[in-house]
Coordinates of all heavy atoms in Angstrom, one line a residue:
T145 N 171.9 77.4 105.6 CA 172.8 76.8 106.6 C 172.9 75.3 106.5 O 172.1 74.7 105.7 CB 172.4 77.2 108.0 OG1 173.5 76.9 108.9 CG2 171.2 76.5 108.5
H146 N 173.8 74.6 107.1 CA 173.9 73.2 107.1 C 173.4 72.6 108.5 O 173.6 73.3 109.5 CB 175.4 72.7 106.9 CG 175.8 73.0 105.5 ND1 175.8 74.2 104.9 CD2 176.3 72.1 104.6 CE1 176.2 74.1 103.6 NE2 176.6 72.8 103.4
V147 N 172.9 71.4 108.4 CA 172.3 70.8 109.7 C 172.8 69.4 109.8 O 172.9 68.7 108.8 CB 170.8 70.9 109.7 CG1 170.3 72.4 109.8 CG2 170.1 70.3 108.5
V148 N 172.9 69.0 111.0 CA 173.2 67.6 111.3 C 171.9 66.9 111.5 O 171.1 67.3 112.4 CB 174.1 67.4 112.6 CG1 174.5 65.9 112.7 CG2 175.3 68.3 112.5
T149 N 171.6 65.8 110.7 CA 170.3 65.2 110.8 C 170.4 63.8 111.6 O 171.3 63.6 112.3 CB 169.8 64.9 109.4 OG1 170.6 64.0 108.7 CG2 169.7 66.3 108.6
A150 N 169.4 63.0 111.4 CA 169.2 61.8 112.2 C 170.3 60.8 112.3 O 170.6 60.2 113.3 CB 167.9 61.1 111.8
N151 N 171.0 60.6 111.1 CA 172.0 59.6 111.1 C 173.2 59.8 112.0 O 173.9 58.8 112.3 CB 172.6 59.4 109.7 CG 171.6 58.7 108.8 OD1 170.5 58.4 109.2 ND2 172.0 58.4 107.5
C152 N 173.4 61.0 112.6 CA 174.5 61.2 113.5 C 174.2 60.4 114.8 O 175.2 59.9 115.4 CB 174.6 62.7 113.8 SG 176.1 63.0 114.8
Q153 N 173.0 60.3 115.2 CA 172.6 59.5 116.4 C 173.1 58.1 116.4 O 173.0 57.4 115.3 CB 171.0 59.5 116.5 CG 170.5 59.3 117.8 CD 170.3 60.6 118.6 OE1 170.3 61.6 118.0 NE2 170.2 60.5 119.9
A154 N 173.7 57.7 117.5 CA 174.3 56.3 117.6 C 175.6 56.2 116.8 O 176.2 55.1 116.9 CB 173.3 55.2 117.2
C155 N 176.1 57.2 116.2 CA 177.3 57.2 115.4 C 178.3 58.1 116.0 O 179.3 57.8 116.6 CB 177.1 57.5 114.0 SG 176.1 56.3 113.1
R156 N 178.1 59.4 115.8 CA 179.0 60.5 116.4 C 180.4 60.2 115.9 O 181.4 60.2 116.7 CB 178.9 60.5 117.9 CG 179.2 61.9 118.5 CD 179.1 61.8 120.1 NE 179.2 63.0 120.8 CZ 180.3 63.7 121.0 NH1 181.5 63.3 120.5 NH2 180.3 64.8 121.7
F157 N 180.6 60.1 114.6 CA 181.9 59.8 114.1 C 182.9 61.0 114.3 O 184.1 60.8 114.4 CB 181.8 59.4 112.6 CG 181.5 58.0 112.3 CD1 180.2 57.7 111.9 CD2 182.4 57.0 112.5 CE1 179.8 56.3 111.7 CE2 182.0 55.7 112.3 CZ 180.7 55.3 111.9
T158 N 182.4 62.2 114.3 CA 183.2 63.4 114.5 C 184.2 63.7 113.4 O 185.0 64.6 113.6 CB 183.9 63.5 115.9 OG1 184.9 62.5 116.0 CG2 182.9 63.5 117.0
D159 N 184.2 63.0 112.3 CA 185.1 63.4 111.2 C 184.7 64.8 110.7 O 185.6 65.6 110.2 CB 185.0 62.4 110.0 CG 185.4 61.0 110.4 OD1 186.6 60.7 110.3 OD2 184.5 60.3 110.9
C160 N 183.5 65.2 110.8 CA 183.0 66.5 110.3 C 183.8 67.7 110.9 O 184.1 68.6 110.3 CB 181.5 66.6 110.6 SG 181.1 66.3 112.3
V161 N 184.1 67.5 112.2 CA 184.7 68.7 112.9 C 186.1 69.0 112.4 O 186.6 70.1 112.5 CB 184.8 68.5 114.4 CG1 183.4 68.2 115.0 CG2 185.8 67.5 114.9
T162 N 186.8 67.9 111.8 CA 188.2 68.1 111.4 C 188.3 68.9 110.1 O 189.4 69.3 109.8 CB 188.8 66.7 111.2 OG1 188.3 66.0 110.1 CG2 188.7 65.8 112.4
V163 N 187.2 69.0 109.4 CA 187.3 69.8 108.1 C 186.6 71.2 108.2 O 186.6 72.0 107.3 CB 186.6 69.0 106.9 CG1 187.5 67.8 106.7 CG2 185.2 68.6 107.2
C164 N 185.9 71.4 109.4 CA 185.2 72.7 109.5 C 186.1 73.9 109.8 O 187.0 73.8 110.7 CB 184.2 72.6 110.7 SG 183.3 74.1 111.0
P165 N 186.1 74.9 108.9 CA 187.0 76.0 109.1 C 186.6 77.0 110.2 O 187.4 77.9 110.5 CB 187.0 76.7 107.7 CG 185.6 76.4 107.2 CD 185.2 75.1 107.7
V166 N 185.4 76.9 110.7 CA 184.9 77.9 111.7 C 184.5 77.3 113.0 O 184.0 78.1 113.8 CB 183.7 78.7 111.0 CG1 184.2 79.5 109.9 CG2 182.6 77.8 110.6
A167 N 184.7 76.1 113.3 CA 184.3 75.5 114.6 C 182.9 75.7 114.9 O 182.5 76.2 116.0 CB 185.2 76.0 115.7
C168 N 182.0 75.3 114.0 CA 180.5 75.5 114.3 C 179.9 74.3 114.9 O 178.7 74.3 115.1 CB 179.8 75.9 113.0 SG 179.7 74.6 111.8
F169 N 180.6 73.2 115.1 CA 180.0 72.0 115.7 C 180.0 72.0 117.2 O 181.1 72.3 117.8 CB 180.8 70.8 115.2 CG 180.5 70.4 113.7 CD1 181.3 70.9 112.7 CD2 179.4 69.7 113.4 CE1 181.1 70.6 111.4 CE2 179.1 69.4 112.1 CZ 180.0 69.9 111.1
H170 N 178.9 71.6 117.8 CA 178.7 71.5 119.2 C 178.2 70.1 119.5 O 177.5 69.5 118.6 CB 177.7 72.5 119.8 CG 178.1 73.9 119.6 ND1 178.4 74.8 120.6 CD2 178.3 74.7 118.4 CE1 178.8 76.0 120.2 NE2 178.7 75.9 118.8
G171 N 178.5 69.5 120.6 CA 178.1 68.2 120.9 C 177.6 67.9 122.3 O 178.0 68.5 123.2
D172 N 176.6 66.9 122.3 CA 176.3 66.3 123.6 C 176.9 64.8 123.5 O 177.6 64.5 122.6 CB 174.8 66.3 123.9 CG 173.9 65.7 122.8 OD1 174.4 64.8 122.1 OD2 172.7 66.0 122.8
D173 N 176.5 64.0 124.4 CA 177.0 62.6 124.4 C 176.5 61.7 123.3 O 177.1 60.7 123.0 CB 176.7 61.9 125.8 CG 177.4 62.5 126.9 OD1 178.4 63.3 126.7 OD2 177.0 62.3 128.1
E174 N 175.5 62.2 122.6 CA 174.9 61.3 121.6 C 175.1 61.7 120.2 O 175.1 60.9 119.3 CB 173.3 61.3 121.8 CG 173.0 60.7 123.2 CD 171.5 60.5 123.3 OE1 170.7 61.2 122.6 OE2 171.1 59.6 124.1
R175 N 175.4 63.0 119.9 CA 175.4 63.5 118.6 C 176.0 64.9 118.5 O 176.2 65.5 119.6 CB 174.1 63.4 117.9 CG 172.9 64.0 118.8 CD 171.6 64.1 118.0 NE 171.8 65.1 117.0 CZ 171.5 65.0 115.7 NH1 171.0 63.8 115.3 NH2 171.7 66.0 114.9
L176 N 176.1 65.4 117.3 CA 176.6 66.8 117.1 C 175.5 67.7 116.5 O 174.6 67.2 115.9 CB 177.8 66.8 116.3 CG 179.2 66.8 117.0 CD1 179.3 65.7 118.0 CD2 180.3 66.7 116.0
Y177 N 175.7 69.0 116.6 CA 174.7 70.0 116.1 C 175.6 71.1 115.5 O 176.6 71.4 116.0 CB 173.9 70.6 117.2 CG 173.2 69.5 118.1 CD1 173.8 68.9 119.1 CD2 171.9 69.1 117.8 CE1 173.2 68.0 119.9 CE2 171.2 68.2 118.5 CZ 171.9 67.6 119.6 OH 171.3 66.6 120.4
I178 N 175.1 71.8 114.5 CA 175.7 72.9 113.9 C 175.1 74.2 114.3 O 173.9 74.3 114.3 CB 175.7 72.8 112.3 CG1 176.6 71.7 111.8 CG2 176.1 74.1 111.7 CD1 176.4 71.4 110.3
D179 N 175.9 75.1 114.8 CA 175.4 76.5 115.1 C 175.2 77.3 113.8 O 176.2 77.6 113.1 CB 176.4 77.2 116.0 CG 175.9 78.5 116.5 OD1 174.9 79.1 115.8 OD2 176.4 79.0 117.5
P180 N 173.9 77.5 113.5 CA 173.7 78.2 112.2 C 174.2 79.6 112.1 O 174.4 80.2 111.0 CB 172.1 78.2 112.1 CG 171.7 78.1 113.5 CD 172.7 77.3 114.2
D181 N 174.5 80.2 113.3 CA 175.0 81.6 113.3 C 176.5 81.6 113.0 O 177.1 82.7 112.8 CB 174.8 82.3 114.6 CG 173.3 82.6 114.8 OD1 172.6 82.7 113.8 OD2 172.9 82.7 116.0
V182 N 177.2 80.4 113.0 CA 178.6 80.3 112.8 C 179.0 79.6 111.5 O 179.9 80.0 110.8 CB 179.3 79.6 114.0 CG1 180.8 79.4 113.8 CG2 179.0 80.3 115.3
C183 N 178.1 78.7 111.1 CA 178.4 78.0 109.8 C 178.5 78.9 108.6 O 177.6 79.8 108.5 CB 177.2 77.0 109.6 SG 177.2 76.1 108.0
V184 N 179.5 78.7 107.8 CA 179.7 79.6 106.6 C 179.3 78.9 105.3 O 179.6 79.4 104.2 CB 181.1 80.1 106.5 CG1 181.4 81.1 107.6 CG2 182.1 78.9 106.5
D185 N 178.6 77.7 105.4 CA 178.0 77.0 104.3 C 179.1 76.6 103.3 O 178.9 76.6 102.1 CB 177.0 77.9 103.5 CG 175.6 77.9 104.2 OD1 175.4 76.9 104.9 OD2 174.9 78.8 104.1
C186 N 180.3 76.2 103.8 CA 181.3 75.7 102.9 C 181.1 74.3 102.3 O 181.7 73.9 101.3 CB 182.7 75.8 103.6 SG 183.0 74.5 104.8
S187 N 180.3 73.5 103.0 CA 179.9 72.2 102.6 C 181.0 71.1 102.8 O 180.9 70.0 102.4 CB 179.4 72.1 101.2 OG 178.2 72.8 101.1
A188 N 182.1 71.5 103.4 CA 183.3 70.6 103.5 C 182.9 69.4 104.4 O 183.4 68.3 104.2 CB 184.5 71.3 104.2
C189 N 182.0 69.6 105.3 CA 181.6 68.5 106.2 C 180.7 67.4 105.6 O 180.6 66.3 106.1 CB 180.9 69.0 107.5 SG 179.4 70.1 107.1
I190 N 180.0 67.8 104.5 CA 179.1 66.8 103.9 C 179.7 65.5 103.5 O 179.3 64.4 103.9 CB 178.3 67.5 102.8 CG1 177.3 68.5 103.3 CG2 177.5 66.4 102.0 CD1 176.5 69.2 102.3
P191 N 180.8 65.6 102.7 CA 181.4 64.3 102.3 C 182.3 63.7 103.4 O 182.7 62.5 103.3 CB 182.3 64.7 101.1 CG 182.6 66.2 101.3 CD 181.3 66.7 101.9
A192 N 182.6 64.5 104.4 CA 183.4 63.9 105.5 C 182.7 63.0 106.4 O 183.3 62.1 107.1 CB 184.0 65.1 106.4
C193 N 181.3 63.1 106.5 CA 180.5 62.2 107.4 C 180.3 60.9 106.8 O 179.7 60.8 105.7 CB 179.2 62.9 107.7 SG 178.2 61.8 108.7
P194 N 180.8 59.8 107.5 CA 180.6 58.4 106.9 C 179.2 58.0 106.8 O 179.0 57.0 106.1 CB 181.4 57.6 108.0 CG 182.2 58.5 108.8 CD 181.4 59.8 108.8
V195 N 178.3 58.6 107.4 CA 176.9 58.2 107.3 C 175.9 59.2 106.7 O 174.7 59.2 106.9 CB 176.3 57.7 108.7 CG1 177.0 56.4 109.1 CG2 176.6 58.8 109.8
G196 N 176.5 60.2 106.0 CA 175.7 61.2 105.3 C 174.8 62.0 106.2 O 173.7 62.3 105.7
A197 N 175.2 62.3 107.4 CA 174.2 62.9 108.3 C 174.1 64.4 108.1 O 173.1 65.0 108.6 CB 174.7 62.7 109.8
I198 N 175.0 65.0 107.4 CA 174.9 66.5 107.2 C 174.4 66.9 105.9 O 174.8 66.4 104.8 CB 176.3 67.1 107.5 CG1 176.9 66.6 108.8 CG2 176.3 68.6 107.4 CD1 178.3 67.0 109.0
K199 N 173.4 67.8 105.9 CA 172.8 68.2 104.7 C 172.6 69.7 104.7 O 172.6 70.4 105.7 CB 171.4 67.6 104.6 CG 171.5 66.1 104.5 CD 170.1 65.5 104.2 CE 170.2 64.0 104.0 NZ 168.9 63.3 103.8
E200 N 172.5 70.3 103.5 CA 172.1 71.7 103.4 C 170.7 71.8 103.6 O 169.9 70.9 103.3 CB 172.5 72.2 102.0 CG 174.0 72.2 101.7 CD 174.3 73.1 100.5 OE1 173.9 74.3 100.6 OE2 175.0 72.7 99.6
E201 N 170.3 72.9 104.2 CA 168.9 73.2 104.6 C 167.9 72.9 103.4 O 166.9 72.3 103.6 CB 168.8 74.7 105.0 CG 167.7 75.1 105.8 CD 167.8 76.5 106.3 OE1 168.9 77.1 106.1 OE2 166.8 77.0 106.9
F202 N 168.3 73.3 102.2 CA 167.4 73.2 101.1 C 167.3 71.8 100.5 O 166.5 71.5 99.7 CB 167.7 74.2 100.0 CG 169.1 74.2 99.5 CD1 169.6 73.2 98.7 CD2 169.9 75.3 99.8 CE1 170.9 73.2 98.2 CE2 171.3 75.3 99.4 CZ 171.7 74.3 98.6
D203 N 168.2 70.9 101.0 CA 168.1 69.5 100.6 C 167.3 68.6 101.6 O 167.2 67.4 101.4 CB 169.5 68.9 100.5 CG 170.3 69.4 99.2 OD1 169.6 69.7 98.3 OD2 171.5 69.3 99.2
L204 N 166.8 69.2 102.6 CA 166.1 68.4 103.6 C 164.7 68.0 103.1 O 164.0 68.7 102.5 CB 165.9 69.2 104.9 CG 167.2 69.6 105.6 CD1 166.8 70.6 106.8 CD2 168.0 68.4 106.1
S205 N 164.3 66.7 103.5 CA 163.0 66.3 103.2 C 162.0 66.9 104.2 O 162.5 67.5 105.2 CB 162.9 64.7 103.3 OG 163.2 64.4 104.6
D206 N 160.7 66.8 104.0 CA 159.8 67.3 105.0 C 160.0 66.7 106.4 O 160.0 67.5 107.4 CB 158.4 67.0 104.6 CG 157.9 67.9 103.4 OD1 158.7 68.8 103.0 OD2 156.9 67.6 102.8
D207 N 160.3 65.5 106.5 CA 160.6 64.8 107.7 C 161.8 65.3 108.4 O 162.0 65.2 109.6 CB 160.8 63.3 107.5 CG 159.5 62.6 107.3 OD1 158.4 63.2 107.4 OD2 159.5 61.3 107.0
E208 N 162.8 65.8 107.6 CA 164.0 66.2 108.2 C 164.1 67.7 108.6 O 165.0 68.2 109.2 CB 165.2 66.0 107.2 CG 165.4 64.5 106.9 CD 166.4 64.3 105.8 OE1 166.4 65.1 104.8 OE2 167.2 63.3 105.8
E209 N 163.1 68.5 108.2 CA 163.1 69.9 108.4 C 163.1 70.3 109.9 O 163.7 71.3 110.3 CB 161.9 70.6 107.8 CG 162.1 70.7 106.3 CD 161.3 71.8 105.6 OE1 160.5 72.4 106.3 OE2 161.6 72.1 104.5
Q210 N 162.7 69.4 110.8 CA 162.7 69.6 112.2 C 164.2 69.8 112.7 O 164.4 70.5 113.7 CB 162.1 68.4 112.9 CG 162.9 67.1 112.6 CD 162.4 65.9 113.4 OE1 162.1 66.0 114.5 NE2 162.4 64.7 112.7
W211 N 165.1 69.3 111.9 CA 166.5 69.4 112.4 C 167.1 70.8 112.3 O 168.0 71.1 113.0 CB 167.4 68.4 111.6 CG 167.1 67.0 111.9 CD1 166.5 66.0 111.2 CD2 167.4 66.3 113.2 NE1 166.3 64.9 111.9 CE2 166.9 65.0 113.1 CE3 168.1 66.7 114.3 CZ2 167.1 64.1 114.1 CZ3 168.2 65.8 115.4 CH2 167.7 64.5 115.3
I212 N 166.5 71.6 111.5 CA 166.9 73.0 111.4 C 166.7 73.7 112.8 O 167.6 74.3 113.4 CB 166.1 73.8 110.4 CG1 166.3 73.2 109.0 CG2 166.4 75.3 110.4 CD1 165.4 73.8 107.9
R213 N 165.5 73.5 113.4 CA 165.2 74.0 114.7 C 166.0 73.4 115.8 O 166.5 74.0 116.7 CB 163.7 73.8 114.9 CG 163.2 74.3 116.3 CD 161.6 74.1 116.4 NE 161.2 72.7 116.0 CZ 161.3 71.6 116.7 NH1 161.9 71.7 117.9 NH2 160.9 70.4 116.3
I214 N 166.2 72.1 115.7 CA 166.9 71.3 116.7 C 168.4 71.8 116.8 O 168.9 72.0 117.9 CB 166.7 69.8 116.6 CG1 165.3 69.4 116.7 CG2 167.6 69.1 117.6 CD1 165.0 68.0 116.3
N215 N 169.0 71.9 115.6 CA 170.4 72.3 115.6 C 170.5 73.7 116.2 O 171.4 74.0 117.0 CB 171.0 72.3 114.2 CG 171.4 70.9 113.7 OD1 172.6 70.6 113.6 ND2 170.5 70.0 113.5
A216 N 169.7 74.6 115.8 CA 169.7 76.0 116.2 C 169.5 76.1 117.7 O 170.2 76.9 118.4 CB 168.7 76.8 115.5
A217 N 168.6 75.3 118.2 CA 168.3 75.4 119.7 C 169.4 74.7 120.5 O 169.7 75.3 121.6 CB 166.9 74.7 119.9
R218 N 169.9 73.6 120.1 CA 170.8 72.8 121.0 C 172.3 73.4 120.9 O 173.0 73.4 121.9 CB 170.8 71.4 120.5 CG 169.5 70.7 120.8 CD 169.3 70.4 122.3 NE 170.1 69.3 122.8 CZ 170.7 69.3 124.0 NH1 170.5 70.3 124.8 NH2 171.5 68.3 124.4
A219 N 172.7 73.7 119.7 CA 174.2 74.0 119.6 C 174.7 75.1 120.6 O 175.7 74.8 121.2 CB 174.4 74.5 118.1
P220 N 174.0 76.2 120.7 CA 174.6 77.3 121.6 C 174.8 76.8 123.0 O 175.7 77.4 123.7 CB 173.6 78.4 121.5 CG 172.9 78.2 120.2 CD 172.8 76.7 120.1
D221 N 174.1 75.9 123.5 CA 174.2 75.5 124.9 C 175.2 74.4 125.2 O 175.5 74.0 126.3 CB 172.8 74.9 125.4 CG 171.8 75.9 125.4 OD1 172.1 77.1 125.5 OD2 170.6 75.6 125.4
L222 N 175.8 73.9 124.1 CA 176.7 72.7 124.2 C 178.2 73.1 123.9 O 178.4 74.1 123.2 CB 176.3 71.6 123.3 CG 174.9 71.0 123.6 CD1 174.4 70.2 122.4 CD2 175.0 70.1 124.9
P223 N 179.2 72.4 124.4 CA 180.6 72.7 124.1 C 180.9 72.5 122.6 O 180.3 71.7 122.0 CB 181.3 71.7 125.0 CG 180.4 70.7 125.4 CD 179.0 71.2 125.3
I224 N 181.8 73.4 122.2 CA 182.3 73.3 120.8 C 183.2 72.0 120.7 O 184.0 71.8 121.6 CB 183.1 74.5 120.4 CG1 182.2 75.7 120.3 CG2 183.8 74.3 119.0 CD1 182.9 77.0 120.0
I225 N 183.0 71.2 119.7 CA 183.8 70.1 119.4 C 184.8 70.4 118.2 O 184.3 70.6 117.1 CB 183.0 68.8 119.1 CG1 181.9 68.6 120.1 CG2 183.9 67.6 119.0 CD1 182.3 68.3 121.5
R226 N 186.0 70.5 118.5 CA 187.0 70.9 117.4 C 187.9 69.7 117.0 O 188.5 69.8 115.9 CB 188.0 71.9 118.0 CG 187.3 73.2 118.4 CD 188.3 74.1 119.1 NE 187.7 75.3 119.6 CZ 187.6 76.4 118.9 NH1 188.0 76.5 117.7 NH2 187.0 77.5 119.5
A227 N 188.0 68.7 117.8 CA 189.0 67.6 117.4 C 188.2 66.3 117.3 O 187.2 66.1 118.0 CB 190.0 67.5 118.5
K228 N 188.7 65.4 116.5 CA 188.1 64.1 116.3 C 188.1 63.3 117.6 O 189.1 63.4 118.4 CB 189.0 63.4 115.2 CG 188.7 61.9 115.1 CD 187.7 61.6 114.1 CE 187.5 60.0 114.0 NZ 186.1 59.7 113.7
Q229 N 187.0 62.7 117.9 CA 186.9 61.9 119.1 C 186.5 60.4 118.6 O 186.2 60.2 117.5 CB 185.7 62.4 120.0 CG 186.0 63.8 120.5 CD 184.9 64.4 121.3 OE1 183.8 63.8 121.5 NE2 185.0 65.6 121.8
S230 N 186.6 59.5 119.6 CA 186.2 58.1 119.2 C 184.7 58.1 118.9 O 183.9 58.7 119.6 CB 186.4 57.2 120.4 OG 187.8 57.1 120.7
P231 N 184.3 57.4 117.8 CA 182.9 57.2 117.6 C 182.2 56.5 118.7 O 182.9 55.8 119.5 CB 182.8 56.4 116.3 CG 184.2 56.5 115.7 CD 185.1 56.7 116.8
L232 N 180.9 56.6 118.8 CA 180.1 55.8 119.8 C 180.3 54.3 119.6 O 180.6 53.9 118.4 CB 178.7 56.2 119.7 CG 178.3 57.6 120.1 CD1 176.8 57.9 120.0 CD2 178.8 58.0 121.5
P233 N 180.2 53.5 120.6 CA 180.4 52.0 120.5 C 179.4 51.4 119.5 O 179.6 50.4 118.9 CB 180.1 51.5 121.9 CG 180.3 52.7 122.8 CD 180.0 53.9 122.0
T234 N 178.3 52.1 119.3 CA 177.2 51.6 118.4 C 177.5 52.1 116.9 O 176.7 51.7 116.0 CB 175.9 52.1 118.8 OG1 176.0 53.5 119.1 CG2 175.4 51.4 120.1
A235 N 178.5 52.9 116.7 CA 178.6 53.5 115.4 C 178.8 52.6 114.2 O 178.1 52.7 113.2 CB 179.8 54.5 115.4
E236 N 179.6 51.5 114.3 CA 179.8 50.7 113.2 C 178.6 49.8 112.9 O 178.3 49.6 111.7 CB 181.1 49.8 113.3 CG 182.4 50.6 113.2 CD 182.6 51.3 111.9 OE1 182.0 50.9 110.9 OE2 183.3 52.3 111.9
A237 N 177.9 49.4 113.9 CA 176.7 48.6 113.7 C 175.6 49.5 113.1 O 174.9 49.0 112.2 CB 176.2 48.1 115.1
R238 N 175.6 50.8 113.5 CA 174.6 51.7 112.9 C 174.9 51.9 111.4 O 174.0 52.0 110.5 CB 174.6 53.0 113.7 CG 173.6 54.0 113.2 CD 172.2 53.6 113.3 NE 171.3 54.6 112.8 CZ 170.1 54.4 112.1 NH1 169.7 53.1 111.9 NH2 169.4 55.4 111.7
R239 N 176.2 52.1 111.1 CA 176.6 52.3 109.7 C 176.3 51.1 108.8 O 175.8 51.3 107.7 CB 178.2 52.5 109.8 CG 178.8 52.9 108.5 CD 180.3 53.0 108.8 NE 181.0 53.5 107.7 CZ 182.3 53.9 107.8 NH1 182.9 53.8 109.0 NH2 183.0 54.3 106.8
S240 N 176.4 49.9 109.3 CA 176.0 48.7 108.6 C 174.5 48.7 108.4 O 174.1 48.4 107.3 CB 176.4 47.4 109.4 OG 177.8 47.3 109.5
E241 N 173.8 49.0 109.4 CA 172.3 49.0 109.4 C 171.9 50.0 108.3 O 170.9 49.7 107.6 CB 171.8 49.5 110.7 CG 170.4 49.3 111.1 CD 170.2 49.7 112.5 OE1 170.5 49.0 113.4 OE2 169.6 50.8 112.7
L242 N 172.6 51.1 108.1 CA 172.3 52.1 107.1 C 172.8 51.7 105.7 O 172.5 52.4 104.7 CB 172.8 53.5 107.5 CG 172.2 54.1 108.8 CD1 173.1 55.2 109.3 CD2 170.8 54.6 108.5
G243 N 173.5 50.6 105.6 CA 174.1 50.2 104.4 C 175.2 51.1 103.8 O 175.3 51.2 102.6
L244 N 175.9 51.7 104.7 CA 176.9 52.7 104.3 C 178.4 52.3 104.6 O 179.2 53.2 104.6 CB 176.6 54.0 105.0 CG 175.2 54.7 104.6 CD1 174.9 55.8 105.5 CD2 175.3 55.1 103.1
N245 N 178.6 51.0 104.7 CA 180.0 50.7 104.9 C 180.5 49.8 103.8 O 179.8 49.5 102.8 CB 180.3 50.1 106.2 CG 179.4 48.9 106.5 OD1 178.4 48.7 105.8 ND2 179.7 48.1 107.5
Ligands
LIG220 FE1 177.8 62.9 113.3 FE2 178.7 62.4 110.9 FE3 179.8 64.3 112.3 S1 178.1 60.9 112.4 S2 179.6 63.7 114.4 S3 177.8 64.3 111.6 S4 180.9 62.9 111.0

């Protein structure tokens, strides 16, 4: 499955949802999560994210493996996000900090 990792925090660009064919993204006010029971592993969202937040499960580092559990636990309780929304006010600063702009 695919998972949304740490870089989504403070960004929440939501470009990922616009390319997802199955609406597997759910969100709270801070970030998005992928429902692993809905994701079809198409990988379309990986290049869509401006901060590289989305990874395939097998590409995760040891530090990132926690995101598998967090995405699976959080996604089902949150609303599905299907349309692009405004990024968080901190998004561009965070993107610069990550050296990704
Ligand atoms: Fe987050 Fe990237 Fe999507 S910042 S909301 S995973 S486009």
